[in-house]
Amino acid sequence: MDDFHLAILANAGLLSFLGLSCWILLVAGMVSFGQQAFFAIGAYVAAFGTVTGALPLPLALAAGLGAGAAAGTLLGLITRRLGGFRFAVASLAFAEAVRLGLDLLVLRVPGPGGGPVGPGGTDGFGGIRLLYESGTTAGGFVALIWGTLAAVLVLLTVAERTGPGRGLRMIGEDPVLAEALGRDPGRLRLAAAAAAGAVAALGGGLFAHYTTYVEPSNFGLMIGIHGLAYALIGGLGTAVAPLLGVGFDIGLLEGARAFQSYRMVVFGGAVAVFLIWRPRGILDEALVARLALLFRRLADRAPGPGPAGARPTSPQDAKEPT
Amino acid sequence: MTGAPILAVEGLVAGRGRADVLRSVSLSAEAGAVTCLIGPNGAGKTTLMMAIAGLIRPRRGRIRFDGREIAGRPAHRLVAEGLALVPQDRLLFAGLTVRENLAAGALSRDAGPAIETDIARMGQRFPRLAERAGQRAGSLSGGEQQMLAIARALMARPRFLLLDEPSLGLAPLVAREVLDLIAGIAGEGIGVLVVEQNAARVRSIARRMHVIDRGRIVHSGAPDGAAADAAVDRAFFGAAVAPAGPAPAGEAAP
Amino acid sequence: MIAAAVAGLALGASYALLATGFTVVFGVLRRIDLAYGASIMLGLYAAIWLHREGMAGAPALAPVVIAVTVLAAAYVERLCFAPHADRPPVTAMAASFAIWMQLQEIAVLALPLHTYPFPSPFAGAWPAGALGGIRPEHVLALVAAAAIGLGLARLLGHTRFGLAVRATTENRAAAACAGIDTRRVAIAVFGLAAAIGGVAGYLIACIDGQVAPHFAMRATLDGIAAAILGGLGSIPGAIAGGLLLGLVEAAARSAWGPQQADLARYGLLLAVLAAAPGGLAGIAGAARRRLAARRRASGRRVGEASAAGEA
């Protein structure tokens, strides 16, 4: 595979983290326009860990993840009484506040090479070269990004089947019912905000080491809408869905090079039109349930017709008064 | 002395979400008389009222009002054509004054001095509303709110009025007052279809009765007599008894 | 000192107009139009473009801004709000966010520079330093905002259309039962909000003397911040919130600088959302209810006392 396609793969993987982060909140019924803030926090913290020589990459990424989770918890606490659009507005304000804060953040410290390293406000934060200096190839980088992404996907898919995971989905679909069934929406939403912050921050840490240079304007609203759109387009039915959204965007970008400068014009319009057609995304809950059923039937049929296929009608059906 | 029906519903199927609440409903109501619709909780009374009033789009069936097909038309158009609904939870504009609520009831009509005259007339008909003209509707008592809801519907000058459980939550004396008012409205030539859960009270003012149970009309006819009593009993107590214990098939009603 | 206060109030007046736009749309539709600022930005960019092409003089720019903003809003309504009328409100909001990015990009593609000067209608007509340094653009903003506020109060309080808007805001289902065409009311209010936004955009551009791509975000966030500060859905709240935000921002700017002032604004918005999501109107409403309850309680006490006296 050539460098061009590897770069596309790396970008797709990195953007998927942002899409997944938005997806976690969307499942809980929260629309966030601000997950780029956690992407930024993860990037800055992880990069600061490695440029100062204080931390090896895994620990630096973990530190970024922790910072993202903490910031997510903070946003969750600020917004714990807010629903719907007020949460969305708060996430937008939070992200812009973080970006403006990074504009003002100048923290130059002496690095291992003697020269000053660290964030330089609007001048950006460069020299995040740990992986390049250790001789990681482009292919190795892509493997690192997608390996981490796969691990996150597995974790999310497992988490979705646990009690809190189901509770989260229930809150997104019917908060009143969820509360009536004894789910605590406040705590679950807080957990979702923290998890979403952690996932975005992990992607941000990888992003910083991939590009070697980040600046606050990397984390503006443009990238935020992309993350949200990936989750919306992909669908709310399964954690793999945001990747579909990323594929849609990159396919659109690469498939229509002529439109390059009109990319946002096409993409914005496409998202709006798409939402009319499928308000809960391509892989929405109904489609995922149908696919799962189909898959189970195929699996059942494979070893031959068993007792599962000839399930007797339930006795309740017979008793139902007509 | 029964005239031709001003409202006729035929084979109406409607529901909210995926399930059909109404499974082929047919009924009719006359102008200038009270027709009552009686049935237990969950029988589909409110769904039927909302479907007739244009707040729910029916899936199948016909609704004819004054000879014209109206199924699927939006509520605001029907109000302008003379078919108004007083919904179950009264749905007043709680933050607007009593007077503004009345004026809002006439927004489907053309502007003109007749509206002021009608507001004054409502004040004579409902003296308690006249006293509270400048007060917020949300501060009224339950009975006054029901009066205002009916008065607001009358401001549209309807030829037919749909009333969904007008006595719900009212003290017996106030409920009696509301029923007298409904009888008076019918006396002015306006057709009324009123939903009630408490069958006995409303049957005394109705000329015709329909009994609804589980999405179907199970009885239509005069509001009194042995057949009517039996239909009401079956709808209420039949439905209430069935889930409690499985009745042997042989003992089911003939 | 007076000039600085007038400047802060003028800025606040334009925020109050933006907040009014958000609040009336929210009242009727229970939805937020995130593309509001971008629609206004498109209006401003269209006016600048026409001016640069020599097709519109400085005095003709205000109607151009308003007309293009209303057209853009009509597009937003058709694409993002009409199709999602029966869906959760966040779907329409997400769609309007996507269209925000689209409209902003269209404007930037037409005029790609970092900033564009916006011609003032008063160029050369006002001697510098007159009236103690008060700028004519500030006076225009205050006069225009006051006129719109009064006109809006008259429209909503004393016309049949206004009654329909207030009734729909109170209770959409009840409005439909009362024979009000709520769809038409919603579309009319959307257009009204766009026209008000166009005026606000024109005033801000005159005050700033220039327009830049970040206008869309500034207008949207300033308007939402002022509307939430005042209490979303309340027009008096929107006006109070706008004026307060303008004064706070003018003070923060002169004390700390523009970037820090922006940061302070987002901080204020987050603090209000966290502490009092109902805003000033919510606080005022709670105070009114408490007062009424106290009055009732004391009335009861008086009643009891007199009853005791009779006994």
Side-chain angles (χ1 to χ4, degrees):
Chain A
M1 206 182 286
D2 58 20
D3 281 354
F4 173 69
H5 287 102
L6 284 173
I8 290 180
L9 265 182
N11 274 322
L14 292 168
L15 289 171
S16 296
F17 282 96
L18 201 57
L20 272 176
S21 175
C22 292
W23 180 86
I24 294 171
L25 291 171
L26 271 180
V27 167
M30 299 143 88
V31 172
S32 171
F33 296 120
Q35 294 313 104
Q36 66 274 22
F38 308 104
F39 205 66
I41 288 168
Y44 271 71
V45 170
F48 197 72
T50 59
V51 291
T52 53
L55 297 173
L57 184 69
L59 283 183
L61 289 176
L65 183 145
T73 308
L74 176 66
L75 177 62
L77 285 173
I78 292 174
T79 59
R80 76 188 176 286
R81 289 196 290 158
L82 308 180
F85 62 89
R86 281 191 175 86
F87 172 80
V89 169
S91 70
L92 195 66
F94 183 81
E96 282 302 294
V98 166
R99 191 177 61 79
L100 286 164
L102 291 178
D103 268 346
L104 300 172
L105 178 70
V106 180
L107 193 65
R108 306 289 284 175
V109 295
V117 294
T122 45
D123 291 337
F125 182 176
I128 313 163
R129 305 190 52 82
L130 178 78
L131 281 178
Y132 283 86
E133 278 158 10
S134 66
T136 309
T137 61
F141 225 126
V142 168
L144 173 66
I145 292 169
W146 281 86
T148 314
L149 186 62
V152 170
L153 277 175
V154 168
L155 261 175
L156 283 178
T157 310
V158 171
E160 237 197 309
R161 280 163 179 65
T162 63
R166 281 174 211 276
L168 209 59
R169 192 170 282 280
M170 206 185 285
I171 287 170
E173 282 167 11
D174 193 340
V176 180
L177 180 70
E179 202 156 4
L181 292 176
R183 309 286 189 171
D184 180 353
R187 271 176 58 191
L188 281 173
R189 283 181 47 161
L190 198 59
V199 169
L202 185 58
L206 289 167
F207 170 76
H209 288 89
Y210 177 66
T211 58
T212 73
Y213 170 82
V214 288
E215 58 177 29
S217 66
N218 290 150
F219 309 103
L221 281 173
M222 274 306 184
I223 193 168
I225 174 63
H226 276 86
L228 182 65
Y230 297 150
L232 282 170
I233 291 174
L236 300 182
T238 159
V240 190
L243 273 64
L244 209 64
V246 175
F248 175 85
D249 182 36
I250 296 204
L252 190 78
L253 175 68
E254 300 306 326
R257 297 231 126 218
F259 290 128
Q260 183 110 50
S261 61
Y262 296 93
R263 181 178 170 200
M264 220 35 233
V265 178
V266 175
F267 189 67
V271 171
V273 170
F274 184 86
L275 282 171
I276 298 173
W277 177 48
R278 282 192 87 86
R280 290 182 79 80
I282 299 172
L283 288 172
D284 60 8
E285 290 88 342
L287 183 59
V288 168
R290 265 208 300 275
L291 287 176
L293 195 69
L294 192 73
F295 186 74
R296 215 172 303 140
R297 277 210 196 117
L298 285 175
D300 278 357
R301 203 164 296 161
R311 220 171 269 128
T313 45
S314 80
Q316 266 97 357
D317 292 345
K319 256 192 229 160
E320 187 72 31
T322 44
Chain B
M1 271 283 288
T2 45
I6 185 171
L7 179 75
V9 176
E10 266 180 57
L12 194 72
V13 178
R16 277 173 279 188
R18 277 190 201 157
D20 288 337
V21 178
L22 302 179
R23 304 180 286 184
S24 190
V25 166
S26 300
L27 59 76
S28 63
E30 297 160 28
V34 175
T35 304
C36 67
L37 177 69
I38 287 169
N41 254 336
K45 304 184 296 285
T46 294
T47 307
L48 176 58
M49 294 299 251
M50 290 175 81
I52 297 174
L55 292 167
I56 296 177
R57 220 184 154 75
R59 300 211 169 103
R60 272 202 305 279
R62 308 204 309 177
I63 306 170
R64 292 180 77 76
F65 175 60
D66 207 9
R68 268 177 301 180
E69 180 62 40
I70 58 161
R73 286 220 213 163
H76 64 91
R77 289 260 297 279
L78 294 179
V79 175
E81 286 177 27
L83 181 68
L85 167 71
V86 178
Q88 190 176 49
D89 23 22
R90 288 158 203 158
L91 292 186
L92 293 172
F93 306 120
L96 303 190
T97 64
V98 168
R99 207 193 135 75
E100 284 171 333
N101 267 273
L102 292 175
L107 281 173
S108 60
R109 291 163 54 183
D110 292 330
I115 291 176
E116 281 305 312
T117 320
D118 280 6
I119 290 180
R121 201 173 296 152
M122 290 303 154
Q124 285 158 11
R125 183 164 198 166
F126 305 94
R128 265 185 303 181
L129 294 185
E131 286 165 28
R132 289 160 174 67
Q135 227 168 292
R136 284 173 177 230
S139 69
L140 300 181
S141 72
E144 289 163 350
Q145 288 195 9
Q146 188 61 58
M147 299 286 182
L148 179 56
I150 294 172
R152 191 185 68 193
L154 290 175
M155 284 300 296
R157 290 206 174 162
R159 284 173 295 148
F160 199 93
L161 203 55
L162 300 160
L163 292 160
D164 195 354
E165 300 226 22
S167 67
L168 191 73
L170 299 184
L173 220 61
V174 185
R176 187 69 246 171
E177 208 177 328
V178 169
L179 285 180
D180 288 345
L181 170 69
I182 293 169
I185 291 169
E188 291 168 17
I190 298 174
V192 179
L193 177 63
V194 54
V195 159
E196 272 297 338
Q197 220 180 346
N198 190 327
R201 277 192 304 223
V202 72
R203 281 165 73 182
S204 65
I205 61 161
R207 186 186 290 174
R208 223 177 129 71
M209 176 176 80
H210 300 280
V211 180
I212 186 169
D213 188 20
R214 278 168 269 169
R216 282 180 214 283
I217 300 291
V218 294
H219 174 85
S220 295
D224 37 28
D229 292 344
V232 172
D233 283 353
R234 224 174 14 251
F236 279 88
F237 303 113
V241 170
E251 284 177 29
Chain C
M1 186 59 214
I2 291 172
V6 170
L9 277 176
L11 197 64
S14 62
Y15 293 164
L17 290 180
L18 292 171
T20 303
F22 276 107
T23 267
V24 292
V25 166
F26 179 80
V28 170
L29 283 104
R30 298 282 139 185
R31 278 157 177 71
I32 290 254
D33 173 19
L34 286 174
Y36 192 53
S39 308
I40 301 169
M41 175 190 173
L42 201 67
L44 287 171
Y45 267 58
I48 293 171
W49 187 81
L50 284 175
H51 186 65
R52 289 166 67 87
E53 297 288 316
M55 285 188 274
L61 294 188
V64 171
V65 176
I66 295 168
V68 176
T69 304
V70 171
L71 280 179
Y75 167 71
V76 172
E77 202 276 338
R78 290 285 94 194
L79 196 59
C80 305
F81 288 83
H84 301 300
D86 300 322
R87 290 174 177 161
V90 284
T91 313
M93 186 170 60
S96 70
F97 193 46
I99 293 305
W100 163 355
M101 295 298 147
Q102 187 190 40
L103 294 180
Q104 182 172 329
E105 201 71 9
I106 290 172
V108 170
L109 282 169
L111 297 174
L113 291 185
H114 206 63
T115 58
Y116 285 88
F118 194 85
S120 163
F122 302 103
W126 191 285
L131 282 179
I134 294 174
R135 287 176 53 203
E137 291 84 2
H138 291 152
V139 177
L140 175 69
L142 284 172
V143 170
I148 288 177
L150 290 174
L152 202 59
R154 168 119 206 113
L155 179 72
L156 291 178
H158 299 277
T159 66
R160 276 162 67 88
F161 170 71
L163 184 58
V165 171
R166 285 188 296 142
T168 310
T169 301
E170 277 286 328
N171 190 326
R172 196 165 174 145
C177 284
I180 297 168
D181 185 349
T182 54
R183 278 273 329 130
R184 250 181 51 197
V185 169
I187 291 171
V189 162
F190 213 84
L192 180 69
I196 294 172
V199 173
Y202 177 77
L203 295 174
I204 294 172
C206 285
I207 291 172
D208 289 353
Q210 60 177 31
V211 180
H214 69 247
F215 180 90
M217 176 151 83
R218 227 190 98 189
T220 296
L221 283 181
D222 284 339
I224 289 178
I228 286 181
L229 196 61
L232 207 49
S234 154
I235 293 178
I239 292 166
L243 292 176
L244 184 63
L245 190 68
L247 288 173
V248 168
E249 195 176 323
R253 195 168 288 215
S254 67
W256 298 319
Q259 263 181 321
Q260 288 84 344
D262 278 356
L263 197 56
R265 181 173 37 173
Y266 296 125
L268 180 67
L269 178 54
L270 283 172
V272 169
L273 277 169
L280 296 174
I283 294 168
R288 205 181 309 128
R289 273 192 300 280
R290 212 170 306 130
L291 204 68
R294 195 173 303 154
R295 202 172 299 145
R296 260 201 307 279
S298 68
R300 216 168 20 244
R301 265 197 301 281
V302 170
E304 280 161 11
S306 66
E310 278 162 32

